[in-house]
Amino acid sequence: MARLVAMSLGLALVAVPSPAVTLGGPPATRAGQEIPTPVPSRIPETPGDLPPPPVIPHSPATGGVRQAPPPLVQLDPAPSAATDLRFPINLATALRLADARPLVVAAAQAGTWVAEAKLARAKVLWVPQLNLGANYIRHDGGGPDFNKGILTAPSVNFFYGGGGLVQNVALTDVYFEPLVARRELDSTHWDVQAAKNDALMMVADAYFAVHRARGSYAGALYCVGRGRDLVERVDRLSGDLVPRVEVDRARNMLADLQQRATSDREAWRVGSADLTQVLRLDPRAVVEPLEPDHLQLTLVDPARGLDELMPVALTNRPELASHRAMVAAAEERIRREKGRPMLPRVRINGFQTPYEQIQAGIFGMGPNSSLDQWSGRFDFSVQPLWELEGMGLGNLARIKEQRGEQSREIIDLLATQDRVAADVTRAQARLQSAAARVTQADRALRTAIITFDGTYEGLSQTSRFGDVLVLVNRPSEAVFALKLLKLAIDEYFATVAEHNRAQFELFHALGYPARELAELAPPGDLVPVDTSRPDYLPPVGNGPPPATR
């Protein structure tokens, strides 16, 4: 049995817009407990039949956040520029918006509209077509009189105006086309669920990229501040202790850190643009997540084995359900072609008009250019016709064609099953790796902080080497330690972001509906956000945009 664990972001995460980030302490335990998830014993028929993933009840006290130990280094919140359009948002709100606003969801919903229209048309194939119109025929010259076997000479006019109910349909289509259209509609419903799952993954990917960039930017600013302190200290050292080149080395290091800080701010803005693009928000906004950048979420226990996870994914993934519906539609098409020779084609029409499209109305005629004889008229013809296309060989070819189409659908299903299984393996590998690297990155960061602090303090301490007074630590060692500190900070925030993304990737690979995190068990409380966009961009509604009428 697969066991899934969901964490909630506490109310404290949204109480302050930009909390200071505490780094470098040993990891604390996560809140919550594991809850077993039963593997469904049947294939769900609709998205609503999916078994919900178990979640930990929302707890404002713990909120699914690692509790901070006594700080070793505290990063100030990454500042926004005066020109930034700040956009505070939390993960729960972003996931709620992901359920409807992304265009990938709207496109899938539009496909459902098309399938619904096809089903509606298939259900009324048996209903005759209503025609209203008129027909005028002018004949000049001779013509045959088939009753007498002679050639007649007078010219004549015909006029027939009215309406008719005509039909030309194979009964096999009347019966099977609605069945095929129903299966195709089921497939599009699952496509909508798959699109919502994909949108959730896209939003989570972009959201944690913003967290990563903002955390790295805050770390870069911290390192720039420590770099300035280092330059000042090296500059104050006696020329007898250090050569002047050490000052230049430290200044070079400071310039490099400043460039890195600029690049990290660029990454923050680019990540914000990626998130606002997916959610169709104001593209000018600079996203400010309300959670701390070192937040770690747990949706799926990394220790769960593949043998437990695979059955869940192969049952829940909406892509598989969509392909199964298309295989069923292909089966109905095969049955349709097998029944075509046995069920007749029914033709209902009129008489004495082109294509015999008028059945009742007013009829007028007369010789030459006159129409002086008028009367009502009604003509009705019904024909059941059994057809053997190409003496039956064409029907066999039709059956073979549909069997080939079914084989292609089955191949697509099998390929999707293999992809789903590989998705689970890849996601679990990334999650297990990220879970291990989070601890390693935390340890590396704590070591880097201690190393730099110790090296920096060593610049103010001297010792004697014979008659020579030397520094306990050389400036180049402090410069190198500060570079390692910046690298450790970047690796830490990158690993945390990869861990959170891997959690969502495995959740997505298991096929649980996005609605479970967007509505039923959101990771925190929703916060109000302004979803309006500039006037030069179209407004965003729910569902596909209305078609032109």
Side-chain angles (χ1 to χ4, degrees):
M1 300 294 179
R3 298 179 179 176
L4 307 181
V5 180
M7 287 294 191
S8 303
L9 307 184
L11 185 61
L13 294 179
V14 299
V16 290
S18 299
V21 180
T22 300
L23 299 177
T29 59
R30 297 182 178 89
Q33 58 182 357
E34 297 178 8
I35 301 178
T37 302
V39 177
S41 58
R42 63 182 180 87
I43 303 299
E45 296 295 335
T46 64
D49 290 340
L50 286 176
V55 297
I56 297 301
H58 176 63
S59 173
T62 58
V65 183
R66 289 180 180 268
Q67 304 300 316
L72 289 178
V73 59
Q74 192 154 19
L75 303 182
D76 293 329
S80 299
T83 57
D84 287 346
L85 180 62
R86 301 176 60 187
F87 192 85
I89 190 173
N90 66 354
L91 180 60
T93 306
L95 297 183
R96 175 64 63 87
L97 295 177
D99 195 55
R101 292 176 67 88
L103 287 176
V104 64
V105 177
Q109 291 171 337
T112 300
W113 288 8
V114 174
E116 288 174 348
K118 290 182 178 179
L119 176 60
R121 289 186 59 190
K123 287 181 177 179
V124 296
L125 280 177
W126 63 274
V127 179
Q129 173 181 314
L130 174 62
N131 292 335
L132 297 174
N135 179 51
Y136 172 75
I137 299 176
R138 171 66 183 260
H139 173 72
D140 292 309
D145 185 335
F146 293 104
N147 293 326
K148 297 181 180 180
I150 62 175
L151 185 68
T152 60
S155 300
V156 66
N157 295 319
F158 291 94
F159 177 85
Y160 196 175
L165 294 175
V166 300
Q167 180 64 281
N168 183 6
V169 64
L171 293 184
T172 183
D173 292 334
V174 171
Y175 181 79
F176 285 104
E177 284 302 317
L179 300 179
V180 172
R182 170 61 66 183
R183 296 298 188 180
E184 291 178 343
L185 178 59
D186 292 342
S187 176
T188 61
H189 283 311
W190 287 108
D191 289 341
V192 171
Q193 183 58 60
K196 290 187 175 184
N197 290 0
D198 292 342
L200 184 83
M201 186 66 228
M202 293 166 61
V203 169
D205 194 7
Y207 191 83
F208 293 122
V210 172
H211 264 302
R212 172 181 179 174
R214 189 179 68 166
S216 295
Y217 180 46
L221 294 180
Y222 171 80
C223 290
V224 167
R226 297 305 304 269
R228 289 195 180 100
D229 295 339
L230 178 59
V231 170
E232 292 178 2
R233 175 162 292 191
V234 174
D235 192 37
R236 291 198 305 266
L237 292 175
S238 170
D240 297 333
L241 292 176
V242 295
R244 297 305 300 171
V245 70
E246 294 291 353
V247 179
D248 295 332
R249 190 200 309 274
R251 287 173 178 167
N252 178 268
M253 174 271 307
L254 177 59
D256 181 68
L257 291 176
Q258 291 170 334
Q259 292 183 47
R260 291 175 180 268
T262 303
S263 297
D264 289 335
R265 171 166 166 75
E266 171 197 338
W268 182 12
R269 294 184 59 196
V270 170
S272 297
D274 293 339
L275 181 58
T276 56
Q277 178 185 353
V278 175
L279 294 178
R280 307 193 71 198
L281 300 171
D282 192 332
R284 303 167 299 174
V286 176
V287 177
E288 295 183 349
L290 296 177
E291 306 89 2
D293 296 319
H294 63 286
L295 171 73
Q296 296 178 36
L297 297 177
T298 299
L299 303 176
V300 184
D301 186 356
R304 298 280 70 82
L306 291 175
D307 291 337
E308 300 176 74
L309 299 177
M310 290 290 186
V312 177
L314 294 174
T315 301
N316 287 355
R317 283 290 287 269
E319 297 92 332
L320 293 175
S322 176
H323 282 294
R324 292 188 188 104
M326 294 305 295
V327 171
E331 291 175 355
E332 298 294 350
R333 292 190 183 98
I334 294 175
R335 294 174 58 200
R336 178 193 64 191
E337 297 307 326
K338 286 182 176 180
R340 192 175 295 277
M342 293 178 285
L343 295 176
R345 174 179 293 275
V346 177
R347 293 180 178 176
I348 301 174
N349 47 35
F351 186 63
Q352 284 193 345
T353 58
Y355 304 104
E356 302 179 338
Q357 298 294 298
I358 299 177
Q359 293 174 327
I362 185 171
F363 178 76
M365 67 176 297
N368 298 321
S369 59
S370 65
L371 283 172
D372 53 3
Q373 302 176 51
W374 295 91
S375 68
R377 179 168 177 171
F378 176 77
D379 299 283
F380 178 78
S381 172
V382 58
Q383 296 176 309
L385 299 174
W386 280 262
E387 300 175 333
L388 285 177
E389 183 178 342
M391 299 295 292
L393 298 178
N395 296 100
L396 294 176
R398 282 176 173 268
I399 295 173
K400 182 177 181 180
E401 177 186 1
Q402 295 306 319
R403 283 175 173 167
E405 294 293 338
Q406 184 194 35
S407 295
R408 290 203 296 190
E409 295 294 344
I410 293 175
I411 291 171
D412 289 342
L413 173 61
L414 296 177
T416 304
Q417 287 177 335
D418 293 343
R419 177 171 60 84
V420 167
D423 285 346
V424 174
T425 301
R426 284 189 288 262
Q428 189 213 42
R430 293 189 179 108
L431 178 56
Q432 290 180 342
S433 172
R437 285 186 289 114
V438 164
T439 302
Q440 296 165 355
D442 179 82
R443 183 165 56 247
L445 177 58
R446 288 186 282 122
T447 302
I449 294 170
I450 295 172
T451 300
F452 175 74
D453 288 344
T455 307
Y456 181 79
E457 292 299 325
L459 294 178
S460 61
Q461 301 172 2
T462 59
S463 63
R464 287 191 174 277
F465 184 74
D467 295 332
V468 180
L469 192 65
V470 297
L471 292 173
V472 173
N473 293 108
R474 292 176 296 175
S476 59
E477 295 173 346
V479 168
F480 183 69
L482 186 55
K483 289 182 177 180
L484 289 182
L485 176 57
K486 177 61 173 74
L487 178 62
I489 290 176
D490 290 344
E491 290 292 337
Y492 177 79
F493 284 114
T495 305
V496 169
E498 290 169 8
H499 173 270
N500 292 336
R501 185 194 180 281
Q503 285 284 343
F504 274 85
E505 183 181 2
L506 186 51
F507 186 88
H508 175 273
L510 293 176
Y512 280 116
R515 184 168 175 261
E516 298 295 337
L517 292 180
E519 297 181 21
L520 301 183
D525 299 321
L526 300 180
V527 297
V529 295
D530 181 10
T531 58
S532 62
R533 307 208 298 174
D535 295 337
Y536 48 78
L537 289 175
V540 179
N542 291 328
T548 303
R549 289 176 172 84

